Amino acid sequence: MTSKWQWWLNQIVRRIWFRATLFSVGGVVTALLAVAFSSYIPAELPAKIGADAVDKILGIIASSMLTVTTFSLSTMVAAYSAATNNVTPRATKLVMEDSTTQNVLATFVGSFLFSLVGIIALATGAYGDQGRVILFVVTMGVIILIIVTLLRWIDHLSRLGRVTETTERVEKATIEALRSWIESPCLGGKELEDNDPRLSAPNTPVHQPEVGYVQHVDGGALGQISEELDVEIAVVAIAGKLVAPNIPLAWIIGDVDEEGQKRIASAFTIGDVRSFDQDPRFGAAVLAEIASRSLSQAINDSGTAIDLISRYIRVLTVWDEHADEIDVQYPRLHVAPIRLEDVFDDLFIPLARDGAAILEVGIRLQKAFITLSGFRHPEFKRIAVQHSRSAIKRAEATSMIEEDLDKLRRIAGLLGPA
């Protein structure tokens, strides 16, 4: 469970400009270090290693890195467009956060600035003969770094923006968010029931002035505030919920002043779009969106839909790994839960609806429900049977022939009663 500031830092680190800035600063500093350490180089060494050729090498790096960076940026933009058109616009954010792509662009930009600063310093005579030796050695290291980066970039370009690669990123983001929630359910607090009496007067609702989605809730901060103010806090707006000025984020059980309410409201981060980090249901919805798009008439790719079903199972496997005994870290904090049946609905309803008339999709769905019904968590059996029956009803409402329907019914019959 991350604090609000840790979450903000993670968001900044994932931005493409962050690594590019770090590498750029590193390139400039590296080019200038030769000036500082030039006095430690013996006077006769430059002639022996041919350090006078460094200016030509730097010129080649400067011109080539500018070209390669421009080409890489255009390739990256094309990959974002492909992910938007072939997968879903919601997955583009994950493609943009790809660490390999960011490292490649940062390396190219940093190398360009390193060579540019080196050329300028050489033209002013700042290095001297001894400084040229250090610059020459560092330049050789930069060339090796560029070669390794180019080889990695060539390999990575074959997968960047592809349906399978992007879908895998969404799956991993969903699994990470779900595992984080399972390991610390309800943000370390107690589970809040739907009709809990705390969610009404005379208790105090906490509001905020924005309209948007909750992207992050700092459960640790809320737990600490509840102890300091000697109150109970009931969180109703977990990550993924759409809020507005008239919708409460939480309810306070106890006396608290306006400053205390502001502290509680500051633990919630509101944004224009949903975030994958603390919202596993958003990841599940994006996976379902990819599956539905693959079954559209424009794409008609049932193979991708079938692949998504196996990913659904891997995502739900995480839920089955949770501990039976839940350790409550903040007894004064009550948080609305994420329910297993809601995750099932997010994943399977769109696919069962859009693939109802496709036999191979229906068969794979029923086999998935059989697999899920055997999971350790007691709720899996009941929910899997419900979704299996609903999928059969949807198939029966289509123009699927009776022989195919019988196949689906026979497979669904292996589930048994709920």
Side-chain angles (χ1 to χ4, degrees), residues 1-2 187 214-220 222 235 237-239 267-269 278:
M1 183 169 53
T2 57
L187 305 177
V214 177
Q215 294 182 334
H216 182 266
V217 182
D218 192 342
L222 290 175
V235 176
I238 61 175
F268 295 80
T269 302
Q278 210 181 54

Side-chain angles (χ1 to χ4, degrees), residues 216-228:
H216 182 266
V217 182
D218 192 342
L222 290 175
Q224 183 177 358
I225 293 171
S226 66
E227 294 291 340
E228 291 178 1

Side-chain angles (χ1 to χ4, degrees), residues 59-123:
I60 295 173
I61 294 176
S63 59
S64 59
M65 285 301 99
L66 185 60
T67 303
V68 171
T69 301
T70 304
F71 165 76
S72 299
L73 284 171
S74 62
T75 303
M76 184 180 65
V77 172
Y80 296 163
S81 177
T84 300
N85 296 328
N86 300 330
V87 187
T88 169
R90 260 61 61 188
T92 306
K93 182 176 184 290
L94 295 177
V95 180
M96 295 174 66
E97 294 175 353
D98 174 47
S99 60
T100 301
T101 303
Q102 293 184 1
N103 287 336
V104 166
L105 290 174
T107 300
F108 293 161
V109 173
S111 300
F112 170 73
L113 287 177
F114 163 80
S115 58
L116 197 62
V117 172
I119 292 171
I120 295 172
L122 283 172

Side-chain angles (χ1 to χ4, degrees), residues 251-274:
W251 290 78
I252 306 172
I253 300 89
D255 296 328
V256 63
D257 57 15
E258 185 176 350
E259 183 63 28
Q261 294 183 38
K262 290 181 178 179
R263 287 183 62 191
I264 294 173
S266 67
F268 295 80
T269 302
I270 313 298
D272 295 334
V273 295
R274 296 173 71 174

